Amino acid sequence: MKALRSLDDWHFEVLRVLEEKMRHYETVPTDVVARETEASKDLTLKRLSTLHRYGLVWAPRGRERGFVLNYNGLDAIALRSVVNRGILVSIGGRIGAGKESEVYEAVTAEEERVAVKFYRMGSRSFKKYKRHRDIALHSHLYMEASRLAAKRELEALQILYPRGIKVPRPIYRNRHLLVTELIRGIELAKVKAVDDPALLLEKVLRNLVEAFRAGVVNCDLSAYNVIYLPESGDVFLIDWPQWVSPDHATAKFYLRRDIDNVLEFFERRLHHRPNKDIMREILGENVY
Ligand code: ADP
Ligand code: MN
């Protein structure tokens, strides 16, 4: 974040050239960056060194061979775009982290507090493996996957939200970054007890069935992806990048698995198991 303020337009131009050229080069040679930004090689190298010092780019084969963007660099470009477009005015602390993402709180131009999800596909393997270099060399594929995940998740929210299904209101996407309504609650997985487990389960299941009817199966639903609001007893279903449509060959299988994950949590943690008639009443014959 600090880096964002000390960089000028040219640094961002260099980052954008790297982003674009990574599709065609393993590492983008300094010459190519110089040509694309119409700057001298010396000046370009200076800019690249600054970016390198801030940890926004990598030189996996040594500086002579060239540079690639990393997730910090991609974050910088995406954040700059959302700020320049007047969507966000400031970004705050981290409020969540999952398998493939980090989520931060932010403030919009309308002074609304929102959630910003930064996809980080493959970043675990960036840390886990010793072969940093190899990972850096195909990091653009992971970044492309992150971009796609953000796009897919936005699509799901755009289908579900207008139909009244309890998901965060979608606001904006840029690259691998997705801005949505901030849900001020707790992950259901962290909840120890609730007043009325039967009612809570019914809410979750009804949302799942409505999502299915709207054309969306989550495919990764668990108590971690349900946010619970203790005050109102409301629930929100989050984390939709891997959704499929009901006419997908295994959609019913995924829906069942989502439902079973939820049922398993209610039984184990909240000691609640619905009877068959209630399940059939909520889910309908052809769903479960
Ligand atoms: P992942 O695929 O990494 O699990 P999630 O969408 O589940 O991504 O987000 C990770 C965590 O961030 C969630 O478990 C939740 O705690 C928090 N989070 C995500 N979206 C929101 C939101 N709109 N409002 C509040 N918290 C959120
Ligand atoms: Mn999640």
Side-chain angles (χ1 to χ4, degrees):
M1 291 309 132
K2 206 173 82 227
L4 273 184
R5 256 164 253 137
S6 35
L7 299 176
D8 64 23
D9 287 351
W10 288 108
H11 290 110
F12 282 98
E13 198 53 41
V14 169
L15 289 175
R16 266 190 297 270
V17 168
L18 290 180
E19 180 189 30
E20 157 67 24
K21 294 294 166 188
M22 271 168 75
R23 294 184 187 155
H24 314 291
Y25 295 89
E26 248 192 5
T27 63
V28 186
T30 302
D31 283 340
V32 172
V33 179
R35 192 180 69 220
E36 293 292 320
T37 53
E38 295 174 11
S40 73
K41 187 168 178 179
D42 276 357
L43 184 56
T44 304
L45 201 54
K46 222 175 113 197
R47 286 172 180 154
L48 281 163
S49 300
T50 305
L51 295 168
H52 194 246
R53 201 166 59 241
Y54 281 124
L56 304 176
V57 301
W58 266 328
R61 290 206 192 285
R63 289 165 182 237
E64 311 73 47
R65 301 285 290 275
F67 294 81
V68 294
L69 201 63
N70 62 24
Y71 270 117
N72 294 334
L74 193 64
D75 290 354
I77 310 180
L79 276 176
R80 172 121 153 155
S81 297
V82 294
V83 171
N84 282 352
R85 274 163 218 204
I87 314 276
L88 296 184
V89 292
S90 74
I91 185 138
R94 196 167 86 167
I95 53 171
K99 291 169 295 200
E100 308 277 14
S101 82
E102 286 181 280
V103 179
Y104 286 80
E105 203 179 308
V107 180
T108 66
E110 287 80 34
E111 294 185 13
E112 186 191 1
R113 283 164 67 197
V114 293
V116 186
K117 182 170 180 177
F118 294 79
Y119 273 93
R120 301 255 180 271
M121 304 297 242
S123 62
R124 290 213 153 180
S125 46
F126 288 19
K127 286 177 202 132
K128 205 160 69 194
Y129 295 114
K130 289 202 187 75
R131 286 151 59 235
H132 256 308
R133 259 179 24 154
D134 298 350
I135 306 281
L137 291 175
H138 52 245
S139 57
H140 73 283
L141 294 176
Y142 287 122
M143 290 178 187
E144 199 51 48
S146 288
R147 194 185 301 256
L148 190 64
K151 184 162 173 271
R152 290 277 296 157
E153 178 155 29
L154 176 64
E155 280 166 13
L157 299 180
Q158 285 174 335
I159 297 170
L160 298 171
Y161 183 79
R163 289 179 168 77
I165 296 153
K166 292 283 196 173
V167 296
R169 173 173 50 87
I171 297 172
Y172 187 74
R173 177 188 75 93
N174 188 283
R175 299 177 168 84
H176 65 313
L177 181 160
L178 180 63
V179 183
T180 66
E181 174 188 0
L182 176 69
I183 309 297
R184 289 164 228 236
I186 35 175
E187 289 171 15
L188 187 59
K190 291 183 181 146
V191 171
K192 298 279 187 290
V194 298
D195 288 341
D196 191 345
L199 181 64
L200 186 62
L201 175 63
E202 186 175 334
K203 284 182 185 171
V204 175
L205 296 179
R206 286 204 189 279
N207 275 292
L208 274 185
V209 175
E210 277 176 47
F212 181 80
R213 297 209 176 107
V216 181
V217 178
N218 182 297
C219 299
D220 189 30
L221 199 79
S222 69
Y224 289 96
N225 290 331
V226 176
I227 301 189
Y228 173 63
L229 283 65
E231 301 267 290
S232 61
D234 273 349
V235 285
F236 284 81
L237 309 186
I238 61 164
D239 206 0
W240 296 83
Q242 64 294 307
W243 69 281
V244 299
S245 119
D247 46 32
H248 187 279
T250 44
K252 281 264 172 82
F253 164 82
Y254 290 130
L255 177 64
R256 250 199 113 100
R257 196 178 61 185
D258 286 351
I259 293 170
D260 286 340
N261 283 339
V262 172
L263 291 178
E264 196 267 333
F265 172 83
F266 272 80
E267 181 158 7
R268 183 172 42 80
R269 179 72 62 81
L270 305 176
H271 312 294
H272 173 73
R273 193 164 133 188
N275 71 41
K276 284 222 161 58
D277 290 344
I278 292 181
M279 287 293 286
R280 203 162 298 138
E281 199 270 304
I282 298 172
L283 299 174
E285 295 285 343
N286 56 351
V287 173
Y288 202 70

